Amino acid sequence: MLRTALRNVLAHKARLMMTALAVLLGVAFVAGTLIFSDTVGEAIKKASTKNLKDVAVSVQAVSDDNAPLIGKDGKRTTALDDKLVNTVRALPGVQSVRRNVAGTATLAGPDGIPIGNGWQNIATNFQPDKDGHDERYPLLEGRGPAAGGEIALDEATAKAAAHKVGDSVRFATDGPVLTKKLVGIVSTEDPQVTAGGSLALFDTATAQKLYLHPGQFDELVVGAAPGTDQQALAGKVREVLPKGRAEATSGTELAAEQSRMIAEQNKSLSQTLLVFAGIALFVGIFIIANTFTMLISQRSREIALLRAVGASRRQVVRSVLAEAAMLGLISSLIGLGLGAAIAVGLRAVLDANGAGFPDGPLIISPTAVLCALGVGVVVTVLAAWLPSRKAAKIAPVEALNTVEAPPALRSLVIRNSVGTVVTGLGVAVMFYVTTLKSSDDMPIAMAGAMLTLTGVIILAPLLSRPLVSLAGVVTTRLFGIGGKLAKQNALRNPRRTAATASALMIGLTLMTGMTVVGNSAQQAMDKMTADGLKADYKIATSTYVGLDPELSQKVAEIPGVEAVAPLRNSGVETGDSSLNLIGTDFAAIGRVARLDFSSGSLKASGADGIAVSRTAAKEHGWQTGDTFDATFFDRKETNRKKTKLKIVGIYADNPVVGEAIGATSLVDPHLTELKNDELLVKTEGGSTDELEKQIRHALGDSPLLKVQDHADLRKENAGQIETVLYIVYGLLGMAVIIAVVGVVNTLAMSVFERTREIGMLRAIGLARSGIKQMVRLESVVISLFGAVLGIGVGVFLSWAGGNLVSQGLPTYELLLPWGRLGLFLLIALVVGVLAALWPARRAARLNMLEAIGAQ
C-alpha cells in the first residue's frame, strides 16, 4: 500500500501541484514568522550584549518621595554626583567608572520635520580619553564635542538631517530651539538608535546643564578589573549607595533583563503573524480536502479493485494518508525555503519603514524547521482524513458500476442540521454581544464570530443552491448556453463548490469586518473632533514634554487669535477608582471646546469646583451639587491628604476635555512640573498657513511642536486606522492567494472529470470559445458566491461587535464603506476570471474524439 501511495503521488503530479502550492504557501508563512522572530531576536540580543560588554555594574538614579527626580526648576536632580563617583572608583575590583547623562533631543530635518522617533531620540555626554576618543561612540569624522556650542551626531542622524561637519544643527530638548555646531560624526550600535531613533552627543558639562545640575549623573557604568566577580562587586557598590536614591544591577542581571524584554517585545508581533499564518493554513485545508475528495472520486474504480483483491478499509485509509503525508512533507520542505526568503523580505520591509533592526545572520533554528515541517504534514494529513474514510467506505461492486456517485442524502441532511445549530448558536452569541458594555468582553465576541463563521462554512453547500441559481439567471441571460452550463456545473457538486468558495469567503469575511469597523471608527473620531472641538488649532509636543505656560500668552498676542485655553493633565483618586482631571482656564474653555451641559455650569465654580462628563457622573453616581473626597496622585503614600471637590456641572462626553475639568489654580499645586500638555487656539478667520507660521514662530519654531488644525487631526486619526487596515490586508493577502489557488485547482480537476462531457459538447457544436466561456463563468460564479458570503458575514459580525467599540467611542455608529465593499466584489470577479485562464484554455484544447473516448 505504501508503494501504491508513492505511485499515486507520482502519477498525479499535475493534479496535486496546486494543492502542494497551497500547503507550501501556508507553511512558508509559518516558517517565515518563526525565522523572522528568531533572526531579529538574536540580532537585538547580540547588539544589547555588545552594548553591555564593558558593564560590570550599572548604577541607576532613582527618586523617592523625599527627593523627587524632577526639581522645582524643571530639571532632574540625582544623588549620583562626583563625590559618589570617587567613592565607587575607590572600591576594590573597580577598574573604571563611566558617568552618563541621559536626555532626549529632537533635531529638525532639512524641511523642518523632526528626525527620529520620539523618545528614541536620545542625547548623552561624550566622554573622551586622553587621545580624545570615546570607546562607546567611535569617531567617523571630526572630533568629539568639547565646548558648550558643539554637538556630535551619529552617522544615520547626520545623513537624515543632511548635515556635515561644520554645519549648524537646530534641535530642541524640552524648551526653546537651540543651535550648536556639528564637530563630529560617530557610529553607534545602541538598539534605541538603530531602531529608528537618533543620537546627539554633548560634552559632559553641557549635557548636565541641559538635563541635570552640575556634577550630577543619571547612570554610573562600572567596569571591573580582570577576575572580579560581578555579583560580588555589585554587592560592594550597593553598600556605598544612598538609600532609596540609587540602585545597582550587575551586568549579567542587566543582560538577562534585556533579553527578557526583547523576548516580550517580539512575542506580540510573532503571535500576530502566527494568527494570520494559521488563517492561511485553515484556508488551505479546504483546498487539500477538495483535492483528495476529487482524486478519490476519480480513482474509485482503482480503489474498488484494491478492495476486490483483498485490501482492507484500514489499508485504503493508510494509503491515502501516506499519500497526503508525502505531499505535505515535500510541500513543507519547499515552504521552509520560501519562509526563509519571506523572513528576509519582511525584515527589509520593516527596516525600510523605520524599524531599524540590528544587523545579524539569518537564524533557522531546529524549532522553526520542526514546527514548519510538522505543521505542513499534520495539516495535510488531517485535511485528507475525511476523504480517506470516504474512500475506505466505497463498496467494490458500487465503484465498478459507476465513476462517481452523488452524495448520500442523509449525510447532507446531517451536515445541514449541524450547520444550522452551529450558525444559530453563533448568531445568538453575537446578538448577546450587542448588549455587552465592556471591551473586556471581546473574547465572547471572538467566540461568537468563530461559531458564526464555522456554521456558515458548514451550511455553504445548502446556501450555494439559491445563490448560485440566482447568479445563473444573470449568466444565462447575458451569455446564453455558456452561462447556463456554468450554473449547472457549479450546482452539480454543492460540497465542492462550497469548499472552494469557503476558502475565499474566510479571507473576505475578515477583510470586510476590519474594514467596516475601521471605517466606522474613523468616522466616529472625525465626528468627535468636529463636534467637540471649536478651536482652530491644537498645539502639543511630539515627545509630550509639555509647553511652558508663558508661551500661551505669546500665542494669545498674535493678531487674529481670539482665545487660548491651556490643558494640564492631573489625576485624582476617588475612593476605589480614579479620575483624569484637566486643569484649564474656565473663561476660555467654552470658546475652544463645545461643552453641552445637562445640568450646572462653570460660572459659579469656585476654587474647588469641577465639571464632569455624563459617563463619569454615571459611573460614580454623581449629580450637580455633590461633593466628594479626592486625593491627588502627587500626595505621599505616608501622608495622604484628601481634598474636598464639588460637582458644579455635568456635560456631554467630549474627548477634547475628557472626564473632568477644573481650574488651573486647583490642578497646578499638584503638578510636579508646571507645563501645559496642550493649547487650544480659536482664531477669528479660521486656520490659515500664514497663521500657523506665526504660531510656530511665536513658539520658537521648535521641532518638538505639533500645530494641528482640524484637517491635520482627521488625517492623523485616519492614518493610524488606514495603516492597521493595510497591514491586515497584506497579512490576509496570503489567505486570498491560497483561495485563488484553490479555485484554479478545483476547476482544473473538474475539467479532467468532465473530459468526456466537454468532448460531447464540442461534438454537438459548442465552439472552443464557448468552452472557455463556460469554465470562466463557472469560476466567476464560485468566486462571487464566496465573496457574497464573506462580505455578508463580515458586515454582520462588524455590526454585532461594533457595540464593544462604541464603549470607547461614544459617537461610533455602523457606516458601510460601499466603495471598499464594491472593490471586494470586483476583486472576486477578477479572481474568478484569472483563476479560470489555465483550466479554460486546457478544456478548450481537448481533442474532441479523444475526450469522448476518455474513461
Side-chain angles (χ1 to χ4, degrees):
M1 296 305 292
L2 183 60
R3 287 198 301 271
T4 301
L6 180 60
R7 180 187 63 79
N8 285 331
V9 170
L10 296 175
H12 301 99
K13 294 188 294 293
R15 298 183 217 174
L16 290 172
M17 182 177 64
M18 290 296 174
T19 304
L21 182 58
V23 176
L24 74 87
L25 285 175
V27 170
F29 208 158
V30 174
T33 298
L34 296 174
I35 293 171
F36 169 78
S37 299
D38 290 341
T39 299
V40 171
E42 188 64 23
I44 296 176
K45 189 182 295 184
K46 285 184 177 179
S48 298
T49 301
K50 191 172 183 179
N51 209 36
L52 296 171
K53 65 178 181 179
D54 297 323
V55 180
V57 180
S58 172
V59 180
Q60 300 277 349
V62 297
S63 63
D64 59 20
D65 291 326
N66 295 316
L69 198 56
I70 304 295
K72 292 183 178 180
D73 58 359
K75 294 183 179 181
R76 299 193 310 277
T77 179
T78 78
L80 306 187
D81 53 19
D82 289 324
K83 181 180 179 182
L84 181 62
V85 170
N86 294 331
T87 302
V88 172
R89 186 178 283 131
L91 292 173
V94 173
Q95 187 176 55
S96 63
V97 179
R98 182 181 179 87
R99 307 159 300 160
N100 292 336
V101 178
T104 60
T106 303
L107 277 68
D111 51 3
I113 296 176
I115 290 174
N117 186 18
W119 290 107
Q120 291 177 262
N121 297 334
I122 63 175
T124 187
N125 52 321
F126 187 84
Q127 301 176 55
D129 55 20
K130 60 182 180 180
D131 297 322
H133 298 283
D134 187 334
E135 194 176 72
R136 184 176 176 83
Y137 303 109
L139 283 165
L140 299 177
E141 294 181 45
R143 59 175 176 81
E150 298 176 346
I151 188 175
L153 303 175
D154 70 286
E155 185 177 22
T157 302
K159 183 178 180 181
H163 284 318
K164 59 182 183 296
V165 173
D167 288 350
S168 294
V169 177
R170 294 178 67 251
F171 67 96
T173 56
D174 62 351
V177 176
L178 302 173
T179 302
K180 295 185 185 296
K181 182 180 179 181
L182 181 63
V183 297
I185 296 176
V186 305
S187 65
T188 180
E189 294 182 355
D190 190 313
Q192 285 193 82
V193 180
T194 58
S198 64
L199 173 66
L201 296 172
F202 309 99
D203 66 282
T204 299
T206 301
Q208 289 172 332
K209 182 179 179 181
L210 287 172
Y211 304 108
L212 291 169
H213 295 90
Q216 294 183 355
F217 309 95
D218 290 295
E219 180 188 24
L220 304 181
V221 177
V222 181
T228 303
D229 181 80
Q230 285 191 4
Q231 298 293 342
L233 183 59
K236 294 177 182 178
V237 171
R238 290 189 186 101
E239 292 177 359
V240 301
L241 297 180
K243 300 298 182 183
R245 301 294 312 282
E247 59 184 17
T249 308
S250 69
T252 305
E253 293 171 337
L254 206 59
E257 177 62 19
Q258 286 200 0
S259 296
R260 186 192 65 78
M261 292 176 63
I262 291 167
E264 284 296 321
Q265 291 170 359
N266 288 337
K267 186 178 179 180
S268 59
L269 176 59
S270 300
Q271 288 177 341
T272 301
L273 292 174
L274 285 174
V275 166
F276 286 96
I279 293 170
L281 284 170
F282 184 62
V283 170
I285 288 175
F286 290 93
I287 299 170
I288 300 165
N290 232 9
T291 301
F292 276 92
T293 299
M294 296 172 76
L295 283 176
I296 288 166
S297 176
Q298 294 167 16
R299 287 171 13 211
S300 57
R301 287 177 179 270
E302 175 188 325
I303 294 171
L305 286 173
L306 287 173
R307 293 291 314 282
V309 297
S312 66
R313 289 186 175 184
R314 184 172 296 179
Q315 286 178 311
V316 172
V317 171
R318 288 176 179 173
S319 174
V320 176
L321 293 183
E323 185 178 341
M326 283 186 276
L327 175 68
L329 182 59
I330 295 169
S331 303
S332 298
L333 287 170
I334 301 173
L336 181 63
L338 181 59
I342 288 176
V344 173
L346 182 60
R347 180 174 177 178
V349 169
L350 292 176
D351 275 339
N353 285 276
F357 296 120
D359 293 330
L362 190 69
I363 305 296
I364 304 178
S365 66
T367 302
V369 173
L370 292 176
C371 285
L373 297 181
V375 165
V377 172
V378 169
V379 166
T380 309
V381 170
L382 285 177
W385 180 68
L386 284 177
S388 71
R389 292 194 62 193
K390 179 182 177 183
K393 292 179 180 179
I394 296 177
V397 174
E398 177 188 357
L400 289 172
N401 286 336
T402 182
V403 174
E404 182 180 3
L409 180 62
R410 181 173 178 273
S411 63
L412 288 176
V413 171
I414 293 175
R415 175 171 181 155
N416 293 339
S417 301
V418 172
T420 301
V421 171
V422 174
T423 305
L425 183 59
V427 170
V429 172
M430 294 311 296
F431 273 108
Y432 170 67
V433 168
T434 62
T435 66
L436 300 177
K437 301 298 182 184
S438 172
S439 57
D440 294 335
D441 297 315
M442 189 61 71
I444 299 176
M446 294 176 66
M450 286 297 297
L451 282 172
T452 304
L453 185 58
T454 303
V456 173
I457 291 171
I458 297 172
L459 281 178
L462 178 64
L463 297 172
S464 67
R465 292 188 178 276
L467 292 177
V468 172
S469 296
L470 182 61
V473 172
V474 178
T475 57
T476 302
R477 288 187 178 180
L478 293 178
F479 302 100
I481 189 64
K484 185 175 182 179
L485 289 172
K487 180 195 74 172
Q488 292 175 346
N489 289 334
L491 290 174
R492 182 177 302 182
N493 193 326
R495 289 179 173 177
R496 182 186 304 169
T497 298
T500 306
S502 294
L504 185 60
M505 179 193 75
I506 294 167
L508 286 179
T509 295
L510 297 173
M511 283 186 173
T512 300
M514 292 294 296
T515 300
V516 172
V517 171
N519 177 74
S520 301
Q522 179 180 321
Q523 296 296 326
M525 294 173 77
D526 284 349
K527 187 176 180 181
M528 288 171 66
T529 301
D531 292 349
L533 186 65
K534 293 165 65 176
D536 296 297
Y537 290 103
K538 176 182 173 183
I539 304 173
T541 57
S542 57
T543 54
Y544 308 103
V545 295
L547 296 160
D548 192 321
E550 294 181 0
L551 295 177
S552 59
Q553 183 58 38
K554 292 185 178 181
V555 175
E557 293 172 356
I558 296 175
V561 172
E562 285 187 351
V564 178
L567 301 182
R568 302 171 190 167
N569 283 291
S570 182
V572 295
E573 292 182 0
T574 59
D576 296 333
S577 61
S578 61
L579 188 72
N580 186 53
L581 179 62
I582 291 181
T584 187
D585 181 355
F586 278 0
I589 190 64
R591 302 175 68 184
V592 298
R594 189 168 281 104
L595 295 177
D596 181 15
F597 280 90
S598 55
S599 64
S601 69
L602 297 176
K603 293 180 179 178
S605 58
D608 60 349
I610 67 170
V612 298
S613 68
R614 289 175 186 168
T615 299
K618 185 177 179 181
E619 288 179 357
H620 294 84
W622 290 330
Q623 293 182 350
T624 299
D626 289 350
T627 60
F628 65 95
D629 291 329
T631 305
F632 281 83
F633 286 159
D634 70 313
R635 297 299 185 189
K636 303 173 185 177
E637 292 290 338
T638 56
N639 184 27
R640 307 291 283 177
K641 184 178 179 181
K642 293 182 179 180
T643 302
K644 185 77 71 174
L645 298 179
K646 181 181 180 180
I647 308 295
V648 298
I650 298 175
Y651 55 84
D653 289 6
N654 186 325
V656 176
V657 295
E659 292 182 299
I661 54 176
T664 53
S665 59
L666 174 65
V667 171
D668 288 355
H670 307 284
L671 297 177
T672 305
E673 186 178 9
L674 188 58
K675 285 195 173 184
N676 293 320
D677 295 293
E678 295 175 358
L679 288 178
L680 302 181
V681 181
K682 178 67 176 174
T683 65
E684 294 176 358
S687 58
T688 64
D689 292 340
E690 182 61 32
L691 190 55
E692 181 177 336
K693 290 179 182 178
Q694 291 182 39
I695 292 174
R696 287 186 175 278
H697 184 68
L699 297 176
D701 288 319
S702 171
L704 294 174
L705 280 181
K706 289 173 64 178
V707 181
Q708 298 172 296
D709 58 17
H710 283 251
D712 294 328
L713 292 171
R714 289 193 186 98
K715 185 177 180 180
E716 183 177 67
N717 295 334
Q720 295 171 355
I721 295 174
E722 285 292 318
T723 299
V724 172
L725 284 179
Y726 287 138
I727 291 173
V728 171
Y729 291 161
L731 294 174
L732 288 175
M734 185 70 76
V736 174
I737 291 172
I738 293 175
V740 174
V741 170
V743 177
V744 176
N745 202 30
T746 299
L747 290 173
M749 298 189 74
S750 180
V751 167
F752 179 83
E753 279 185 348
R754 302 201 305 264
T755 299
R756 180 182 294 181
E757 175 187 319
I758 292 171
M760 290 297 295
L761 289 172
R762 292 278 290 114
I764 62 176
L766 189 62
R768 292 183 188 273
S769 60
I771 296 295
K772 288 183 178 180
Q773 185 185 74
M774 176 187 71
V775 176
R776 282 197 298 265
L777 288 175
E778 180 182 355
S779 176
V780 168
V781 166
I782 293 173
S783 298
L784 288 179
F785 169 53
V788 169
L789 276 185
I791 292 173
V793 174
V795 169
F796 169 73
L797 295 179
S798 60
W799 167 77
N803 180 66
L804 298 180
V805 180
S806 66
Q807 303 307 311
L809 283 173
T811 55
Y812 180 91
E813 59 180 299
L814 186 72
L815 295 172
L816 296 181
W818 294 108
R820 292 268 178 106
L821 299 183
L823 180 62
F824 291 163
L825 279 175
L826 180 61
I827 289 173
L829 180 64
V830 173
V831 163
V833 173
L834 294 179
L837 289 178
W838 176 58
R841 187 167 180 268
R842 182 168 177 257
R845 295 181 65 182
L846 287 174
N847 182 279
M848 186 191 308
L849 296 178
E850 291 179 357
I852 293 174
Q855 297 295 322

